[in-house]
Amino acid sequence: MNSEKISDSSSLCLACGCCCDGTLIGFVQLGSEELPALRELMEVEEQNGEGFFLHPCDRFCDGCTIYSDRPKQCASFKCGLLKSLEAKETDFDSAVEVIKVVKQKRIAIEEKLMTQPYQLKSDSFYFKMVELKKLLKKDTSESPLTEDLKQLDSLLLKNFGISLD
Ligand code: SF4
Ligand code: SF4
């Protein structure tokens, strides 16, 4: 990887943060060997010897506040958009534009959700949208969120390789 790619990739993630803030991912799996050190740095859930934490990540604040000690899965994760940028299938400005559209869609959905009776239990936006999709599949009445959710689902799949199923 050349320095231009590293710089573009880092800058894109800094401008985005959509995995850390729970927009695109609901949790991070942790290796058992990472747990002792990570327990000192963040809230970690443990079940049957396995570790994980739910998004939004409590170490995210305009970027990762434990960057040099972040979990392995965080360090290795690359969404489809980042991979496309690194492969030069998209350019930096177009990738930033996609992120802007996703963030605007999230705001629009959250605003509409406040006016709706749905009881979504998840903390992360991503898992909320997974819940909402299931609810809307069962709901025979037309919801003001149906079209927004369809657009979000298609945006995430096409640009990030992430599904709401
Ligand atoms: S969603 Fe992709 S571009 Fe955004 S911060 Fe995560 S890896 Fe980087
Ligand atoms: S530990 Fe850092 S990189 Fe990992 S999800 Fe939290 S803020 Fe993001």
Side-chain angles (χ1 to χ4, degrees):
M1 184 186 280
N2 62 31
S3 59
E4 181 194 334
K5 273 190 181 173
I6 291 168
S7 139
D8 265 6
S9 303
S10 309
S11 303
L12 186 69
C13 289
L14 273 173
C16 177
C18 283
C19 39
C20 307
D21 74 1
T23 303
L24 301 183
I25 293 178
F27 74 102
V28 171
Q29 191 74 46
L30 305 170
S32 53
E33 74 290 354
E34 299 182 280
L35 291 176
L38 287 169
R39 276 190 212 111
E40 305 295 317
L41 298 170
M42 64 197 311
E43 288 291 324
V44 170
E45 313 263 352
E46 292 179 53
Q47 249 175 23
N48 308 323
E50 300 282 313
F52 66 95
F53 62 89
L54 295 170
H55 281 318
C57 177
D58 64 5
R59 299 293 91 193
F60 180 67
C61 182
D62 280 339
C64 180
T65 55
I66 55 164
Y67 189 79
S68 55
D69 299 310
R70 69 198 187 287
K72 283 184 187 157
Q73 192 181 314
C74 299
S76 62
F77 178 75
K78 287 182 183 183
C79 70
L81 189 65
L82 186 56
K83 286 182 191 164
S84 298
L85 180 71
E86 290 184 351
K88 293 195 182 297
E89 291 158 6
T90 190
D91 60 58
F92 184 79
D93 290 345
S94 305
V96 168
E97 190 54 36
V98 169
I99 290 163
K100 200 168 125 194
V101 171
V102 168
K103 290 186 176 195
Q104 282 168 344
K105 184 54 74 188
R106 175 178 173 161
I107 292 168
I109 290 175
E110 285 177 329
E111 281 175 0
K112 282 189 189 169
L113 266 179
M114 283 193 276
T115 69
Q116 298 300 307
Y118 303 115
Q119 301 288 321
L120 304 177
K121 298 184 189 82
S122 305
D123 288 332
S124 69
F125 178 75
Y126 174 76
F127 277 149
K128 275 196 178 97
M129 293 304 98
V130 173
E131 277 186 69
L132 183 63
K133 192 172 172 184
K134 282 186 189 147
L135 283 174
L136 293 184
K137 262 187 195 162
K138 289 187 208 151
D139 192 352
T140 48
S141 59
E142 190 56 28
S143 164
L145 282 154
T146 303
E147 196 48 41
D148 287 299
L149 192 64
K150 249 189 225 166
Q151 288 169 3
L152 179 75
D153 209 358
S154 147
L155 263 173
L156 298 193
L157 197 57
K158 180 174 164 227
N159 297 289
F160 295 86
I162 287 171
S163 160
L164 289 175
D165 290 310

PDB file of all heavy atoms in Angstrom, residues 52-89:
ATOM      1  N   PHE A  52     -16.973  -9.181  23.728  1.00  0.00           N
ATOM      2  CA  PHE A  52     -17.488  -8.310  22.653  1.00  0.00           C
ATOM      3  C   PHE A  52     -17.924  -7.002  23.290  1.00  0.00           C
ATOM      4  O   PHE A  52     -18.001  -6.885  24.514  1.00  0.00           O
ATOM      5  CB  PHE A  52     -18.663  -8.969  21.914  1.00  0.00           C
ATOM      6  CG  PHE A  52     -19.892  -9.165  22.760  1.00  0.00           C
ATOM      7  CD1 PHE A  52     -20.920  -8.234  22.759  1.00  0.00           C
ATOM      8  CD2 PHE A  52     -20.008 -10.276  23.604  1.00  0.00           C
ATOM      9  CE1 PHE A  52     -22.043  -8.415  23.553  1.00  0.00           C
ATOM     10  CE2 PHE A  52     -21.130 -10.457  24.395  1.00  0.00           C
ATOM     11  CZ  PHE A  52     -22.150  -9.530  24.373  1.00  0.00           C
ATOM     12  N   PHE A  53     -18.159  -6.001  22.468  1.00  0.00           N
ATOM     13  CA  PHE A  53     -18.834  -4.809  22.974  1.00  0.00           C
ATOM     14  C   PHE A  53     -19.819  -4.325  21.933  1.00  0.00           C
ATOM     15  O   PHE A  53     -19.667  -4.581  20.734  1.00  0.00           O
ATOM     16  CB  PHE A  53     -17.868  -3.694  23.396  1.00  0.00           C
ATOM     17  CG  PHE A  53     -16.999  -3.146  22.300  1.00  0.00           C
ATOM     18  CD1 PHE A  53     -17.418  -2.087  21.507  1.00  0.00           C
ATOM     19  CD2 PHE A  53     -15.738  -3.673  22.085  1.00  0.00           C
ATOM     20  CE1 PHE A  53     -16.604  -1.572  20.502  1.00  0.00           C
ATOM     21  CE2 PHE A  53     -14.910  -3.163  21.087  1.00  0.00           C
ATOM     22  CZ  PHE A  53     -15.351  -2.117  20.295  1.00  0.00           C
ATOM     23  N   LEU A  54     -20.866  -3.670  22.435  1.00  0.00           N
ATOM     24  CA  LEU A  54     -21.927  -3.191  21.558  1.00  0.00           C
ATOM     25  C   LEU A  54     -21.651  -1.759  21.124  1.00  0.00           C
ATOM     26  O   LEU A  54     -21.048  -0.977  21.862  1.00  0.00           O
ATOM     27  CB  LEU A  54     -23.273  -3.239  22.290  1.00  0.00           C
ATOM     28  CG  LEU A  54     -23.773  -4.641  22.664  1.00  0.00           C
ATOM     29  CD1 LEU A  54     -24.974  -4.534  23.589  1.00  0.00           C
ATOM     30  CD2 LEU A  54     -24.122  -5.444  21.422  1.00  0.00           C
ATOM     31  N   HIS A  55     -22.113  -1.441  19.929  1.00  0.00           N
ATOM     32  CA  HIS A  55     -22.034  -0.060  19.454  1.00  0.00           C
ATOM     33  C   HIS A  55     -23.268   0.722  19.875  1.00  0.00           C
ATOM     34  O   HIS A  55     -24.312   0.109  20.085  1.00  0.00           O
ATOM     35  CB  HIS A  55     -21.924  -0.044  17.924  1.00  0.00           C
ATOM     36  CG  HIS A  55     -20.548  -0.336  17.438  1.00  0.00           C
ATOM     37  ND1 HIS A  55     -19.418   0.182  18.022  1.00  0.00           N
ATOM     38  CD2 HIS A  55     -20.120  -1.110  16.417  1.00  0.00           C
ATOM     39  CE1 HIS A  55     -18.354  -0.248  17.367  1.00  0.00           C
ATOM     40  NE2 HIS A  55     -18.743  -1.047  16.394  1.00  0.00           N
ATOM     41  N   PRO A  56     -23.220   2.027  20.007  1.00  0.00           N
ATOM     42  CA  PRO A  56     -22.065   2.859  19.697  1.00  0.00           C
ATOM     43  C   PRO A  56     -20.933   2.642  20.702  1.00  0.00           C
ATOM     44  O   PRO A  56     -21.176   2.480  21.888  1.00  0.00           O
ATOM     45  CB  PRO A  56     -22.614   4.297  19.779  1.00  0.00           C
ATOM     46  CG  PRO A  56     -23.881   4.199  20.545  1.00  0.00           C
ATOM     47  CD  PRO A  56     -24.411   2.812  20.384  1.00  0.00           C
ATOM     48  N   CYS A  57     -19.707   2.648  20.196  1.00  0.00           N
ATOM     49  CA  CYS A  57     -18.537   2.377  21.031  1.00  0.00           C
ATOM     50  C   CYS A  57     -18.297   3.522  22.010  1.00  0.00           C
ATOM     51  O   CYS A  57     -18.317   4.692  21.617  1.00  0.00           O
ATOM     52  CB  CYS A  57     -17.318   2.213  20.121  1.00  0.00           C
ATOM     53  SG  CYS A  57     -15.805   1.967  21.065  1.00  0.00           S
ATOM     54  N   ASP A  58     -18.063   3.174  23.267  1.00  0.00           N
ATOM     55  CA  ASP A  58     -17.866   4.231  24.279  1.00  0.00           C
ATOM     56  C   ASP A  58     -16.481   4.884  24.170  1.00  0.00           C
ATOM     57  O   ASP A  58     -16.195   5.836  24.884  1.00  0.00           O
ATOM     58  CB  ASP A  58     -18.136   3.711  25.691  1.00  0.00           C
ATOM     59  CG  ASP A  58     -17.170   2.628  26.141  1.00  0.00           C
ATOM     60  OD1 ASP A  58     -16.220   2.331  25.398  1.00  0.00           O
ATOM     61  OD2 ASP A  58     -17.365   2.076  27.235  1.00  0.00           O
ATOM     62  N   ARG A  59     -15.641   4.379  23.288  1.00  0.00           N
ATOM     63  CA  ARG A  59     -14.309   4.982  23.082  1.00  0.00           C
ATOM     64  C   ARG A  59     -14.275   5.871  21.839  1.00  0.00           C
ATOM     65  O   ARG A  59     -13.219   6.355  21.450  1.00  0.00           O
ATOM     66  CB  ARG A  59     -13.212   3.902  22.951  1.00  0.00           C
ATOM     67  CG  ARG A  59     -13.043   3.009  24.147  1.00  0.00           C
ATOM     68  CD  ARG A  59     -12.505   3.740  25.349  1.00  0.00           C
ATOM     69  NE  ARG A  59     -13.545   4.283  26.194  1.00  0.00           N
ATOM     70  CZ  ARG A  59     -13.363   5.162  27.163  1.00  0.00           C
ATOM     71  NH1 ARG A  59     -12.183   5.625  27.436  1.00  0.00           N
ATOM     72  NH2 ARG A  59     -14.355   5.601  27.879  1.00  0.00           N
ATOM     73  N   PHE A  60     -15.435   6.060  21.227  1.00  0.00           N
ATOM     74  CA  PHE A  60     -15.484   6.891  20.019  1.00  0.00           C
ATOM     75  C   PHE A  60     -15.862   8.317  20.386  1.00  0.00           C
ATOM     76  O   PHE A  60     -16.880   8.563  21.035  1.00  0.00           O
ATOM     77  CB  PHE A  60     -16.515   6.323  19.028  1.00  0.00           C
ATOM     78  CG  PHE A  60     -16.621   7.124  17.760  1.00  0.00           C
ATOM     79  CD1 PHE A  60     -15.569   7.179  16.862  1.00  0.00           C
ATOM     80  CD2 PHE A  60     -17.776   7.834  17.459  1.00  0.00           C
ATOM     81  CE1 PHE A  60     -15.658   7.917  15.686  1.00  0.00           C
ATOM     82  CE2 PHE A  60     -17.882   8.573  16.288  1.00  0.00           C
ATOM     83  CZ  PHE A  60     -16.818   8.609  15.404  1.00  0.00           C
ATOM     84  N   CYS A  61     -15.011   9.243  19.978  1.00  0.00           N
ATOM     85  CA  CYS A  61     -15.310  10.659  20.196  1.00  0.00           C
ATOM     86  C   CYS A  61     -14.578  11.431  19.111  1.00  0.00           C
ATOM     87  O   CYS A  61     -13.395  11.738  19.256  1.00  0.00           O
ATOM     88  CB  CYS A  61     -14.855  11.084  21.588  1.00  0.00           C
ATOM     89  SG  CYS A  61     -15.246  12.798  21.951  1.00  0.00           S
ATOM     90  N   ASP A  62     -15.257  11.653  17.986  1.00  0.00           N
ATOM     91  CA  ASP A  62     -14.612  12.258  16.813  1.00  0.00           C
ATOM     92  C   ASP A  62     -13.340  11.508  16.440  1.00  0.00           C
ATOM     93  O   ASP A  62     -12.302  12.121  16.205  1.00  0.00           O
ATOM     94  CB  ASP A  62     -14.298  13.739  17.063  1.00  0.00           C
ATOM     95  CG  ASP A  62     -15.532  14.591  16.861  1.00  0.00           C
ATOM     96  OD1 ASP A  62     -16.469  14.130  16.175  1.00  0.00           O
ATOM     97  OD2 ASP A  62     -15.562  15.712  17.396  1.00  0.00           O
ATOM     98  N   GLY A  63     -13.401  10.212  16.453  1.00  0.00           N
ATOM     99  CA  GLY A  63     -12.237   9.358  16.184  1.00  0.00           C
ATOM    100  C   GLY A  63     -12.045   8.419  17.360  1.00  0.00           C
ATOM    101  O   GLY A  63     -12.688   8.572  18.402  1.00  0.00           O
ATOM    102  N   CYS A  64     -11.165   7.427  17.168  1.00  0.00           N
ATOM    103  CA  CYS A  64     -10.942   6.437  18.225  1.00  0.00           C
ATOM    104  C   CYS A  64     -10.004   7.015  19.283  1.00  0.00           C
ATOM    105  O   CYS A  64      -8.894   7.439  18.968  1.00  0.00           O
ATOM    106  CB  CYS A  64     -10.319   5.189  17.601  1.00  0.00           C
ATOM    107  SG  CYS A  64     -10.001   3.913  18.831  1.00  0.00           S
ATOM    108  N   THR A  65     -10.450   7.000  20.533  1.00  0.00           N
ATOM    109  CA  THR A  65      -9.630   7.583  21.608  1.00  0.00           C
ATOM    110  C   THR A  65      -8.634   6.560  22.181  1.00  0.00           C
ATOM    111  O   THR A  65      -7.867   6.887  23.078  1.00  0.00           O
ATOM    112  CB  THR A  65     -10.533   8.123  22.749  1.00  0.00           C
ATOM    113  OG1 THR A  65     -11.380   7.061  23.193  1.00  0.00           O
ATOM    114  CG2 THR A  65     -11.380   9.292  22.285  1.00  0.00           C
ATOM    115  N   ILE A  66      -8.692   5.319  21.678  1.00  0.00           N
ATOM    116  CA  ILE A  66      -7.695   4.312  22.096  1.00  0.00           C
ATOM    117  C   ILE A  66      -7.040   3.709  20.854  1.00  0.00           C
ATOM    118  O   ILE A  66      -6.783   2.508  20.793  1.00  0.00           O
ATOM    119  CB  ILE A  66      -8.336   3.200  22.975  1.00  0.00           C
ATOM    120  CG1 ILE A  66      -9.529   2.536  22.256  1.00  0.00           C
ATOM    121  CG2 ILE A  66      -8.750   3.734  24.328  1.00  0.00           C
ATOM    122  CD1 ILE A  66      -9.947   1.209  22.882  1.00  0.00           C
ATOM    123  N   TYR A  67      -6.818   4.558  19.869  1.00  0.00           N
ATOM    124  CA  TYR A  67      -6.427   4.104  18.529  1.00  0.00           C
ATOM    125  C   TYR A  67      -5.273   3.099  18.532  1.00  0.00           C
ATOM    126  O   TYR A  67      -5.365   2.043  17.909  1.00  0.00           O
ATOM    127  CB  TYR A  67      -6.062   5.323  17.661  1.00  0.00           C
ATOM    128  CG  TYR A  67      -5.855   4.967  16.211  1.00  0.00           C
ATOM    129  CD1 TYR A  67      -6.959   4.768  15.375  1.00  0.00           C
ATOM    130  CD2 TYR A  67      -4.586   4.803  15.692  1.00  0.00           C
ATOM    131  CE1 TYR A  67      -6.783   4.412  14.042  1.00  0.00           C
ATOM    132  CE2 TYR A  67      -4.411   4.447  14.364  1.00  0.00           C
ATOM    133  CZ  TYR A  67      -5.510   4.257  13.549  1.00  0.00           C
ATOM    134  OH  TYR A  67      -5.335   3.904  12.234  1.00  0.00           O
ATOM    135  N   SER A  68      -4.190   3.395  19.251  1.00  0.00           N
ATOM    136  CA  SER A  68      -3.031   2.495  19.181  1.00  0.00           C
ATOM    137  C   SER A  68      -3.283   1.176  19.924  1.00  0.00           C
ATOM    138  O   SER A  68      -2.569   0.207  19.703  1.00  0.00           O
ATOM    139  CB  SER A  68      -1.775   3.191  19.710  1.00  0.00           C
ATOM    140  OG  SER A  68      -2.041   3.662  21.002  1.00  0.00           O
ATOM    141  N   ASP A  69      -4.308   1.143  20.782  1.00  0.00           N
ATOM    142  CA  ASP A  69      -4.625  -0.082  21.534  1.00  0.00           C
ATOM    143  C   ASP A  69      -5.970  -0.671  21.119  1.00  0.00           C
ATOM    144  O   ASP A  69      -6.526  -1.508  21.828  1.00  0.00           O
ATOM    145  CB  ASP A  69      -4.683   0.234  23.035  1.00  0.00           C
ATOM    146  CG  ASP A  69      -3.351   0.742  23.546  1.00  0.00           C
ATOM    147  OD1 ASP A  69      -2.345   0.087  23.264  1.00  0.00           O
ATOM    148  OD2 ASP A  69      -3.333   1.805  24.194  1.00  0.00           O
ATOM    149  N   ARG A  70      -6.510  -0.228  19.994  1.00  0.00           N
ATOM    150  CA  ARG A  70      -7.861  -0.660  19.604  1.00  0.00           C
ATOM    151  C   ARG A  70      -7.889  -2.164  19.315  1.00  0.00           C
ATOM    152  O   ARG A  70      -6.864  -2.756  18.956  1.00  0.00           O
ATOM    153  CB  ARG A  70      -8.374   0.147  18.401  1.00  0.00           C
ATOM    154  CG  ARG A  70      -7.661  -0.117  17.081  1.00  0.00           C
ATOM    155  CD  ARG A  70      -7.953   1.039  16.143  1.00  0.00           C
ATOM    156  NE  ARG A  70      -7.473   0.840  14.782  1.00  0.00           N
ATOM    157  CZ  ARG A  70      -6.211   0.889  14.384  1.00  0.00           C
ATOM    158  NH1 ARG A  70      -5.243   1.082  15.266  1.00  0.00           N
ATOM    159  NH2 ARG A  70      -5.900   0.733  13.106  1.00  0.00           N
ATOM    160  N   PRO A  71      -9.077  -2.775  19.447  1.00  0.00           N
ATOM    161  CA  PRO A  71      -9.197  -4.216  19.204  1.00  0.00           C
ATOM    162  C   PRO A  71      -8.766  -4.599  17.789  1.00  0.00           C
ATOM    163  O   PRO A  71      -8.844  -3.795  16.862  1.00  0.00           O
ATOM    164  CB  PRO A  71     -10.701  -4.476  19.400  1.00  0.00           C
ATOM    165  CG  PRO A  71     -11.172  -3.382  20.281  1.00  0.00           C
ATOM    166  CD  PRO A  71     -10.355  -2.182  19.929  1.00  0.00           C
ATOM    167  N   LYS A  72      -8.376  -5.868  17.673  1.00  0.00           N
ATOM    168  CA  LYS A  72      -7.893  -6.355  16.369  1.00  0.00           C
ATOM    169  C   LYS A  72      -8.961  -6.223  15.288  1.00  0.00           C
ATOM    170  O   LYS A  72      -8.667  -5.869  14.155  1.00  0.00           O
ATOM    171  CB  LYS A  72      -7.505  -7.837  16.488  1.00  0.00           C
ATOM    172  CG  LYS A  72      -6.180  -8.048  17.169  1.00  0.00           C
ATOM    173  CD  LYS A  72      -5.823  -9.521  17.168  1.00  0.00           C
ATOM    174  CE  LYS A  72      -4.579  -9.740  18.003  1.00  0.00           C
ATOM    175  NZ  LYS A  72      -4.461 -11.096  18.505  1.00  0.00           N
ATOM    176  N   GLN A  73     -10.209  -6.540  15.654  1.00  0.00           N
ATOM    177  CA  GLN A  73     -11.259  -6.464  14.629  1.00  0.00           C
ATOM    178  C   GLN A  73     -11.447  -5.030  14.126  1.00  0.00           C
ATOM    179  O   GLN A  73     -11.742  -4.812  12.953  1.00  0.00           O
ATOM    180  CB  GLN A  73     -12.587  -7.018  15.164  1.00  0.00           C
ATOM    181  CG  GLN A  73     -13.604  -7.210  14.044  1.00  0.00           C
ATOM    182  CD  GLN A  73     -14.944  -7.735  14.526  1.00  0.00           C
ATOM    183  OE1 GLN A  73     -15.007  -8.666  15.317  1.00  0.00           O
ATOM    184  NE2 GLN A  73     -16.015  -7.137  14.057  1.00  0.00           N
ATOM    185  N   CYS A  74     -11.268  -4.063  15.019  1.00  0.00           N
ATOM    186  CA  CYS A  74     -11.369  -2.655  14.603  1.00  0.00           C
ATOM    187  C   CYS A  74     -10.242  -2.319  13.634  1.00  0.00           C
ATOM    188  O   CYS A  74     -10.443  -1.642  12.621  1.00  0.00           O
ATOM    189  CB  CYS A  74     -11.268  -1.718  15.802  1.00  0.00           C
ATOM    190  SG  CYS A  74     -12.544  -1.944  17.028  1.00  0.00           S
ATOM    191  N   ALA A  75      -9.031  -2.799  13.977  1.00  0.00           N
ATOM    192  CA  ALA A  75      -7.862  -2.455  13.155  1.00  0.00           C
ATOM    193  C   ALA A  75      -7.935  -3.095  11.774  1.00  0.00           C
ATOM    194  O   ALA A  75      -7.437  -2.535  10.793  1.00  0.00           O
ATOM    195  CB  ALA A  75      -6.594  -2.893  13.874  1.00  0.00           C
ATOM    196  N   SER A  76      -8.576  -4.268  11.687  1.00  0.00           N
ATOM    197  CA  SER A  76      -8.573  -4.973  10.395  1.00  0.00           C
ATOM    198  C   SER A  76      -9.833  -4.705   9.570  1.00  0.00           C
ATOM    199  O   SER A  76      -9.858  -4.981   8.379  1.00  0.00           O
ATOM    200  CB  SER A  76      -8.430  -6.486  10.608  1.00  0.00           C
ATOM    201  OG  SER A  76      -9.536  -6.964  11.342  1.00  0.00           O
ATOM    202  N   PHE A  77     -10.877  -4.131  10.200  1.00  0.00           N
ATOM    203  CA  PHE A  77     -12.138  -3.971   9.466  1.00  0.00           C
ATOM    204  C   PHE A  77     -12.026  -2.952   8.324  1.00  0.00           C
ATOM    205  O   PHE A  77     -11.521  -1.850   8.493  1.00  0.00           O
ATOM    206  CB  PHE A  77     -13.262  -3.520  10.417  1.00  0.00           C
ATOM    207  CG  PHE A  77     -14.562  -3.297   9.690  1.00  0.00           C
ATOM    208  CD1 PHE A  77     -15.312  -4.383   9.270  1.00  0.00           C
ATOM    209  CD2 PHE A  77     -15.015  -2.025   9.399  1.00  0.00           C
ATOM    210  CE1 PHE A  77     -16.506  -4.199   8.569  1.00  0.00           C
ATOM    211  CE2 PHE A  77     -16.204  -1.823   8.699  1.00  0.00           C
ATOM    212  CZ  PHE A  77     -16.950  -2.913   8.287  1.00  0.00           C
ATOM    213  N   LYS A  78     -12.505  -3.363   7.174  1.00  0.00           N
ATOM    214  CA  LYS A  78     -12.604  -2.434   6.039  1.00  0.00           C
ATOM    215  C   LYS A  78     -13.966  -2.619   5.410  1.00  0.00           C
ATOM    216  O   LYS A  78     -14.294  -3.718   4.956  1.00  0.00           O
ATOM    217  CB  LYS A  78     -11.534  -2.740   4.992  1.00  0.00           C
ATOM    218  CG  LYS A  78     -10.146  -2.337   5.424  1.00  0.00           C
ATOM    219  CD  LYS A  78      -9.123  -2.599   4.353  1.00  0.00           C
ATOM    220  CE  LYS A  78      -7.746  -2.240   4.910  1.00  0.00           C
ATOM    221  NZ  LYS A  78      -6.691  -2.397   3.932  1.00  0.00           N
ATOM    222  N   CYS A  79     -14.742  -1.549   5.379  1.00  0.00           N
ATOM    223  CA  CYS A  79     -16.048  -1.644   4.727  1.00  0.00           C
ATOM    224  C   CYS A  79     -15.836  -1.624   3.207  1.00  0.00           C
ATOM    225  O   CYS A  79     -14.739  -1.324   2.721  1.00  0.00           O
ATOM    226  CB  CYS A  79     -16.939  -0.477   5.164  1.00  0.00           C
ATOM    227  SG  CYS A  79     -16.388   1.100   4.515  1.00  0.00           S
ATOM    228  N   GLY A  80     -16.900  -1.886   2.477  1.00  0.00           N
ATOM    229  CA  GLY A  80     -16.811  -1.911   1.013  1.00  0.00           C
ATOM    230  C   GLY A  80     -16.372  -0.580   0.429  1.00  0.00           C
ATOM    231  O   GLY A  80     -15.652  -0.542  -0.577  1.00  0.00           O
ATOM    232  N   LEU A  81     -16.792   0.509   1.064  1.00  0.00           N
ATOM    233  CA  LEU A  81     -16.437   1.831   0.541  1.00  0.00           C
ATOM    234  C   LEU A  81     -14.936   2.067   0.644  1.00  0.00           C
ATOM    235  O   LEU A  81     -14.290   2.570  -0.281  1.00  0.00           O
ATOM    236  CB  LEU A  81     -17.207   2.908   1.319  1.00  0.00           C
ATOM    237  CG  LEU A  81     -17.131   4.323   0.773  1.00  0.00           C
ATOM    238  CD1 LEU A  81     -17.787   4.431  -0.599  1.00  0.00           C
ATOM    239  CD2 LEU A  81     -17.782   5.321   1.735  1.00  0.00           C
ATOM    240  N   LEU A  82     -14.385   1.683   1.785  1.00  0.00           N
ATOM    241  CA  LEU A  82     -12.941   1.842   2.001  1.00  0.00           C
ATOM    242  C   LEU A  82     -12.153   0.969   1.018  1.00  0.00           C
ATOM    243  O   LEU A  82     -11.153   1.395   0.435  1.00  0.00           O
ATOM    244  CB  LEU A  82     -12.613   1.471   3.452  1.00  0.00           C
ATOM    245  CG  LEU A  82     -11.180   1.707   3.932  1.00  0.00           C
ATOM    246  CD1 LEU A  82     -10.750   3.144   3.735  1.00  0.00           C
ATOM    247  CD2 LEU A  82     -11.043   1.313   5.386  1.00  0.00           C
ATOM    248  N   LYS A  83     -12.646  -0.259   0.826  1.00  0.00           N
ATOM    249  CA  LYS A  83     -11.978  -1.159  -0.126  1.00  0.00           C
ATOM    250  C   LYS A  83     -12.033  -0.571  -1.543  1.00  0.00           C
ATOM    251  O   LYS A  83     -11.053  -0.636  -2.282  1.00  0.00           O
ATOM    252  CB  LYS A  83     -12.658  -2.536  -0.124  1.00  0.00           C
ATOM    253  CG  LYS A  83     -12.343  -3.364   1.098  1.00  0.00           C
ATOM    254  CD  LYS A  83     -13.024  -4.716   0.970  1.00  0.00           C
ATOM    255  CE  LYS A  83     -12.971  -5.490   2.268  1.00  0.00           C
ATOM    256  NZ  LYS A  83     -13.908  -6.605   2.300  1.00  0.00           N
ATOM    257  N   SER A  84     -13.177   0.011  -1.905  1.00  0.00           N
ATOM    258  CA  SER A  84     -13.305   0.608  -3.247  1.00  0.00           C
ATOM    259  C   SER A  84     -12.340   1.771  -3.413  1.00  0.00           C
ATOM    260  O   SER A  84     -11.752   1.960  -4.481  1.00  0.00           O
ATOM    261  CB  SER A  84     -14.722   1.140  -3.481  1.00  0.00           C
ATOM    262  OG  SER A  84     -15.637   0.113  -3.415  1.00  0.00           O
ATOM    263  N   LEU A  85     -12.183   2.552  -2.343  1.00  0.00           N
ATOM    264  CA  LEU A  85     -11.253   3.687  -2.404  1.00  0.00           C
ATOM    265  C   LEU A  85      -9.825   3.181  -2.593  1.00  0.00           C
ATOM    266  O   LEU A  85      -9.073   3.687  -3.437  1.00  0.00           O
ATOM    267  CB  LEU A  85     -11.359   4.519  -1.120  1.00  0.00           C
ATOM    268  CG  LEU A  85     -10.448   5.741  -1.059  1.00  0.00           C
ATOM    269  CD1 LEU A  85     -10.913   6.828  -2.021  1.00  0.00           C
ATOM    270  CD2 LEU A  85     -10.377   6.309   0.359  1.00  0.00           C
ATOM    271  N   GLU A  86      -9.476   2.171  -1.820  1.00  0.00           N
ATOM    272  CA  GLU A  86      -8.107   1.644  -1.901  1.00  0.00           C
ATOM    273  C   GLU A  86      -7.839   0.993  -3.258  1.00  0.00           C
ATOM    274  O   GLU A  86      -6.716   1.013  -3.741  1.00  0.00           O
ATOM    275  CB  GLU A  86      -7.866   0.649  -0.760  1.00  0.00           C
ATOM    276  CG  GLU A  86      -7.803   1.352   0.589  1.00  0.00           C
ATOM    277  CD  GLU A  86      -7.466   0.432   1.756  1.00  0.00           C
ATOM    278  OE1 GLU A  86      -7.443  -0.798   1.576  1.00  0.00           O
ATOM    279  OE2 GLU A  86      -7.231   0.950   2.846  1.00  0.00           O
ATOM    280  N   ALA A  87      -8.887   0.438  -3.852  1.00  0.00           N
ATOM    281  CA  ALA A  87      -8.733  -0.203  -5.166  1.00  0.00           C
ATOM    282  C   ALA A  87      -8.870   0.812  -6.308  1.00  0.00           C
ATOM    283  O   ALA A  87      -8.861   0.431  -7.477  1.00  0.00           O
ATOM    284  CB  ALA A  87      -9.772  -1.305  -5.325  1.00  0.00           C
ATOM    285  N   LYS A  88      -9.035   2.078  -5.946  1.00  0.00           N
ATOM    286  CA  LYS A  88      -9.230   3.170  -6.911  1.00  0.00           C
ATOM    287  C   LYS A  88     -10.474   2.975  -7.782  1.00  0.00           C
ATOM    288  O   LYS A  88     -10.542   3.442  -8.918  1.00  0.00           O
ATOM    289  CB  LYS A  88      -7.986   3.345  -7.802  1.00  0.00           C
ATOM    290  CG  LYS A  88      -6.763   3.839  -7.039  1.00  0.00           C
ATOM    291  CD  LYS A  88      -5.692   4.334  -7.989  1.00  0.00           C
ATOM    292  CE  LYS A  88      -4.438   4.780  -7.276  1.00  0.00           C
ATOM    293  NZ  LYS A  88      -4.606   5.904  -6.385  1.00  0.00           N
ATOM    294  N   GLU A  89     -11.459   2.274  -7.227  1.00  0.00           N
ATOM    295  CA  GLU A  89     -12.723   2.137  -7.953  1.00  0.00           C
ATOM    296  C   GLU A  89     -13.619   3.346  -7.683  1.00  0.00           C
ATOM    297  O   GLU A  89     -14.615   3.564  -8.365  1.00  0.00           O
ATOM    298  CB  GLU A  89     -13.454   0.861  -7.500  1.00  0.00           C
ATOM    299  CG  GLU A  89     -12.751  -0.403  -7.954  1.00  0.00           C
ATOM    300  CD  GLU A  89     -13.108  -1.633  -7.119  1.00  0.00           C
ATOM    301  OE1 GLU A  89     -13.999  -1.551  -6.237  1.00  0.00           O
ATOM    302  OE2 GLU A  89     -12.451  -2.652  -7.335  1.00  0.00           O
TER     303      GLU A  89
END
